[in-house]
Amino acid sequence: MTAVSYSLLSVFAARRVCLLRPQVHRFHLRSYSFLRTDHTVRNPLWHRVCSVSARRGTQYRSEVSEMNRNNGSAYLQVLGLGLDTADAVPSVLLFFDHQRYVFNAGEGFQRFCVQHKLKLNRMPNILVTRASLDAVGGIPGMVLTVADSSISHHFDDGLGANSNFHADIYGPKGIEHLGKAMSFYMRMKGVNLHELEPAAPSESDTLTGSTQLSPEAAVSSAIIQNEAVNITPVILQPTSEGAESQPNKRQKTDDSSLPNLQEQDKVPLAACYICRLTSMPGKFLPQKAKELGVKPGPLFGQLKAGTAVMGKDRMVQPEEVLEASPAAPVVIIADCPSPAHLPALLSSSAWEPFLHHSSTSEAASKSSPHQKVNCIVHLAPHQVVQLPQYQQWMAGFGTSTKQVVLNCEAVPSAVTLPSPATLQIKLNCIDPRAFPLPQTLEPDNPTAIPSKTQLQQPDSISRLQGSNLLRYNLRPASRVDTVDTAEQSLSIPAIQGQLKTEMPEVMEAAERGQAEACSPSEEIPDVITQAGAEELEVVFLGTGAAMPSKYRNVTSIYINRFARGGMLLDCGEGTLGQLTRRFGCAKVKDIVCSLACVWVSHIHADHHAGLPRILAARAEWLGPDCPALPVFGPWCLERILHTTAAMQPMPHLFFNQTALLAEPQHEPSPETQAAVSQVKAQLGLKTLQSLLVVHCAHAYAAILEGESGWKVVFSGDTRPCEQMVHAAKDATLLIHEVC
């Protein structure tokens, strides 16, 4: 569910209005488990179910090769993840009838797929354009979900063994750190990481000792080759020397307008991808085949498949009865994350076959005409796309190429999760204080995403306006280069008006609850009546289960102390996006930068997978002088953060949860004691304590007591236990982590 906030003053006064909705469950083979007994051998129905499943699986595997040769439909689809919250690089889906390829999977990817009914278990191939958390933050949760789905749906000898799960992840250098971090909290069986390496350096590079990739070395060999598509990466190595050190050899550009690039440390490599679809056979001409003596029936099918058959008096070749094959579509996923990557992009030899003016002479142009690129998707940020050099590079592909720019400044405001946004609008109509409107839905709000900037593009660029779920068709031939859009806009007055009209009883119950809250029958504690308006606010950023659902994100709670800053209790995937929806794109920077600490209850991924993105965003916004943020968690979390930090800077100080126990086994170090005292002083806390509870190993609850007398207890994931009962005594607010 979208962020929900409660102020301390409304803890006792507010009355809850519950909206019941039916739960949706997927039916799968695990539902047949009731048929299993200790005497499985005597249960024929159980064996029948398993044998049918096994036969269908074997039949499917034997037909995969044949089906891949008949990918009659293909399209490129924009998955507008992050276009409303600016917390992730948008994803792109290359779809075939029997294959899927996903480019980038930032935080919130699996929730996005649940919202729009995209099946994760059919996306085993992930290609990453940059080894940064805004492009890969959703991969761990995605892999966990698909692996769990594979266990549920695939049977091996009727025991549900996970033998068919696999995921192939491709990305530039640095992606291996993601795999190492994931291995600390999940099984990596079936997960294959492919670190993309540039081609071997040229002889001149070897002799001169150059550390920069030559234009030819930047182009790697194809990483995916099959009956449907050929995908080749183009590696972009950043440089701090600007365009002067890497002049564009194929385009005349004004290098003076490039920005002065300062020395950058650990700027990661980036990757673009050229996707060449395989040629499809031309239209079959049955009348021509009959004239050549071929009888209708199986022989027609063999000709369509490209096999010569015997006609009336000679062998008939397929090309005799097929029209000329249409040109195979080509699409490019281009990502230039920063101006430092621009010289490598401009000088790469990978674009030579496609640029109109890449040849130096007219004769050479006629002898090797350029290939058409159907569509280019640009993932570069606005400050890169607007550079004249980038614009000129775009124009080099000609007006026949459709170009889609995907970033927050270029795409009109889009609601990427309409279902929870609609629910939040309805709840806001019932209780505006407890359920504030998402800031990303209010374009006039100064804290929303900044207004879109119209790109000044020359007429030589055929731009296609990007939007969430936009679909660019590549096959069949009758639909190639056509576009399907799915406009999704929400009208707040219309939704709230519909609620008042269709459910008047809900509004009446809300009004009665508010009237009763004005004259409560029970005595309100002094700590609440004497608290100011900005004493404490608890914002529930996620209240879901182990996997995010359409309406609920995974666990995260923001403790807002207003001018003092705040802290996070757990930090599941998508926490940064939820903060942005609640507070707006501008204000979220102040909130993240003013965090006093992050407290993580245990090592399950739904409680900490969003922490690296929070730390990386904080480092980006505060710059090189970013102070380290205290993180309290189970000991194994330290290894995860340390490994992930090799991918992207995320200054932090890790402290074991045992240091916050009431009676620690070992005396905390002076550094730990100083950090705890600093956090308590900043947040105005009298007590910051952890409590060991009954869940997995090293699972904790949190106890917070303010200097003004309030007490907040967060249970974490736990079974009923006496220590939790004792800790919750006299709590002003008790938060149960239950589903």
Side-chain angles (χ1 to χ4, degrees):
M1 184 182 293
T2 311
V4 181
S5 63
Y6 291 94
S7 66
L8 184 62
L9 291 175
S10 63
V11 170
F12 279 78
R15 295 294 184 267
R16 295 180 298 175
V17 179
C18 297
L19 299 179
L20 301 179
R21 60 177 182 270
Q23 299 295 321
V24 180
H25 298 279
R26 287 194 307 173
F27 179 78
H28 49 70
L29 285 176
R30 182 177 283 185
S31 303
Y32 283 105
S33 59
F34 69 93
L35 297 173
R36 295 194 65 178
T37 65
D38 293 336
H39 306 284
T40 306
V41 178
R42 302 178 185 177
N43 194 331
L45 183 54
W46 168 256
H47 281 287
R48 181 179 178 184
V49 170
C50 291
S51 61
V52 169
S53 175
R55 287 199 304 272
R56 289 178 177 175
T58 303
Q59 180 182 3
Y60 173 80
R61 287 190 294 272
S62 65
E63 295 176 354
V64 163
S65 178
E66 179 65 27
M67 288 191 297
N68 285 344
R69 287 194 289 269
N70 297 308
N71 280 292
S73 298
Y75 58 79
L76 201 68
Q77 186 168 29
V78 173
L79 307 182
L81 186 70
L83 290 178
D84 57 342
T85 55
D87 66 320
V89 180
S91 301
V92 180
L93 171 65
L94 180 57
F95 175 95
F96 297 95
D97 287 336
H98 309 292
Q99 297 165 339
R100 314 284 191 275
Y101 301 93
V102 176
F103 299 88
N104 294 331
E107 279 197 6
F109 183 79
Q110 56 176 329
R111 190 182 183 196
F112 181 93
C113 291
V114 171
Q115 166 71 84
H116 299 290
K117 300 180 180 179
L118 302 174
K119 296 183 178 180
L120 287 172
N121 57 358
R122 295 189 178 181
M123 303 179 188
N125 303 292
I126 307 171
L127 298 95
V128 177
T129 61
R130 56 180 96 163
S132 58
L133 293 168
D134 53 354
V136 304
I139 291 179
M142 178 183 178
V143 170
L144 283 170
T145 299
V146 175
D148 180 72
S149 175
S150 299
I151 293 174
S152 300
H153 288 275
H154 296 288
F155 279 72
D156 182 15
D157 297 329
L159 299 179
N162 184 14
S163 59
N164 294 319
F165 167 70
H166 77 279
D168 290 295
I169 304 172
Y170 303 84
K173 184 178 180 180
I175 197 70
E176 76 279 3
H177 300 301
L178 174 69
K180 292 178 182 177
M182 291 167 56
S183 66
F184 290 130
Y185 58 93
M186 70 173 71
R187 293 185 61 189
M188 295 293 287
K189 182 180 179 180
V191 180
N192 304 309
L193 284 168
H194 307 271
E195 186 178 279
L196 303 181
E197 295 287 350
S202 62
E203 184 178 352
S204 60
D205 291 340
T206 304
L207 294 176
T208 60
S210 174
T211 59
Q212 296 294 327
L213 297 179
S214 65
E216 292 74 18
V219 184
S220 301
S221 58
I223 54 175
I224 295 176
Q225 288 180 297
N226 53 43
E227 299 88 348
V229 67
N230 181 311
I231 300 180
T232 304
V234 180
I235 307 300
L236 304 183
Q237 183 179 28
T239 174
S240 59
E241 300 175 2
E244 291 78 10
S245 63
Q246 291 288 334
N248 185 4
K249 301 177 182 179
R250 296 167 181 82
Q251 302 184 58
K252 294 181 179 180
T253 59
D254 182 12
D255 296 338
S256 62
S257 61
L258 278 173
N260 292 325
L261 301 175
Q262 299 178 352
E263 186 70 21
Q264 301 182 31
D265 297 328
K266 296 184 178 181
V267 179
L269 298 177
C272 304
Y273 295 93
I274 302 174
C275 308
R276 298 177 173 89
L277 277 65
T278 55
S279 299
M280 296 288 287
K283 183 180 178 181
F284 180 66
L285 304 174
Q287 187 60 36
K288 182 68 173 178
K290 292 179 182 178
E291 293 175 358
L292 294 175
V294 181
K295 295 182 179 180
L299 296 181
F300 276 20
Q302 295 180 32
L303 285 172
K304 292 179 182 179
T307 304
V309 300
M310 188 66 190
K312 185 176 182 180
D313 51 6
R314 66 178 182 86
M315 295 295 293
V316 177
Q317 301 299 322
E319 54 268 21
E320 297 182 69
V321 294
L322 294 174
E323 291 183 349
S325 300
V330 177
V331 296
I332 295 175
I333 310 299
D335 190 7
C336 184
S338 71
H341 296 84
L342 188 55
L345 176 77
L346 299 178
S347 62
S348 175
S349 62
W351 321 121
E352 278 189 348
F354 312 111
L355 293 174
H356 282 231
H357 49 277
S358 60
S359 299
T360 56
S361 67
E362 184 178 354
S365 178
K366 291 181 179 179
S367 62
S368 57
H370 72 276
Q371 301 177 25
K372 175 188 174 182
V373 177
N374 296 67
C375 182
I376 303 178
V377 179
H378 301 271
L379 303 178
H382 179 69
Q383 63 267 28
V384 174
V385 176
Q386 68 180 354
L387 292 175
Q389 286 74 20
Y390 197 93
Q391 295 278 304
Q392 189 170 353
W393 178 75
M394 294 173 65
F397 292 92
T399 56
S400 61
T401 299
K402 296 295 183 181
Q403 311 212 31
V404 184
V405 179
L406 293 182
N407 55 56
C408 292
E409 288 79 9
V411 178
S413 297
V415 181
T416 58
L417 300 175
S419 294
T422 302
L423 178 60
Q424 188 77 4
I425 292 172
K426 294 179 179 179
L427 294 174
N428 173 264
C429 186
I430 295 172
D431 191 341
R433 292 186 305 169
F435 302 97
L437 287 173
Q439 297 298 300
T440 52
L441 293 180
E442 301 180 288
D444 296 333
N445 193 305
T447 63
I449 289 180
S451 58
K452 312 304 176 186
T453 304
Q454 184 65 33
L455 290 175
Q456 300 298 325
Q457 294 181 335
D459 295 336
S460 56
I461 298 177
S462 179
R463 184 185 174 194
L464 179 63
Q465 179 61 58
S467 62
N468 185 35
L469 300 181
L470 178 142
R471 180 181 297 181
Y472 188 89
N473 296 298
L474 302 171
R475 283 179 181 156
S478 59
R479 299 207 63 201
V480 67
D481 294 334
T482 61
V483 178
D484 299 329
T485 58
E487 295 294 337
Q488 294 179 333
S489 59
L490 298 179
S491 171
I492 296 175
I495 293 173
Q496 294 186 344
Q498 182 181 10
L499 174 66
K500 295 176 181 178
T501 302
E502 297 180 356
M503 303 182 68
E505 67 280 2
V506 172
M507 301 307 301
E508 293 174 0
E511 293 176 0
R512 289 195 302 270
Q514 293 175 2
E516 294 175 3
C518 295
S519 55
S521 57
E522 58 188 89
E523 183 179 356
I524 300 178
D526 293 339
V527 66
I528 293 180
T529 58
Q530 297 175 5
E534 295 189 352
E535 174 66 25
L536 174 68
E537 182 183 53
V538 180
V539 184
F540 294 91
L541 302 171
T543 58
M547 295 182 291
S549 65
K550 181 188 296 186
Y551 293 99
R552 297 175 182 270
N553 202 51
V554 290
T555 301
S556 183
I557 300 173
Y558 175 57
I559 304 297
N560 188 6
R561 292 286 279 146
F562 298 93
R564 291 178 174 270
M567 67 177 293
L568 289 171
L569 297 176
D570 279 336
C571 191
E573 177 189 337
T575 294
L576 182 59
Q578 290 292 86
L579 281 170
T580 305
R581 294 183 181 94
R582 169 61 184 87
F583 295 102
C585 200
K587 191 176 179 180
V588 73
K589 296 183 179 181
D590 296 332
I591 289 175
V592 172
C593 294
S594 63
L595 284 174
C597 72
V598 177
W599 183 96
V600 177
S601 62
H602 60 286
I603 200 58
H604 288 165
D606 56 309
H607 293 259
H608 67 78
L611 177 56
R613 185 71 183 96
I614 289 285
L615 296 175
R618 180 175 174 271
E620 177 184 351
W621 292 332
L622 289 177
D625 299 328
C626 174
L629 181 68
V631 175
F632 300 94
W635 66 271
C636 37
L637 180 62
E638 181 179 14
R639 297 188 301 177
I640 299 173
L641 295 179
H642 178 75
T643 305
T644 310
M647 181 189 307
Q648 192 169 350
M650 48 174 66
H652 67 279
L653 289 174
F654 180 83
F655 301 99
N656 198 316
Q657 286 280 25
T658 56
L660 297 179
L661 294 175
E663 298 179 357
Q665 294 182 352
H666 305 284
E667 183 70 18
S669 65
E671 180 185 12
T672 302
Q673 295 180 15
V676 174
S677 299
Q678 180 181 353
V679 171
K680 291 166 66 176
Q682 177 180 340
L683 297 179
L685 298 178
K686 182 173 59 177
T687 301
L688 174 58
Q689 183 179 325
S690 295
L691 176 71
L692 197 62
V693 293
V694 184
H695 186 49
C696 63
H698 315 291
Y700 298 88
I703 304 172
L704 309 177
E705 292 188 45
E707 294 174 348
S708 59
W710 52 263
K711 179 180 179 181
V712 175
V713 178
F714 173 55
S715 71
D717 281 355
T718 180
R719 289 182 286 176
C721 56
E722 287 298 325
Q723 57 266 38
M724 190 65 215
V725 175
H726 178 74
K729 185 178 180 181
D730 299 327
T732 310
L733 177 63
L734 173 61
I735 304 173
H736 291 276
E737 178 66 23
V738 294
C739 301

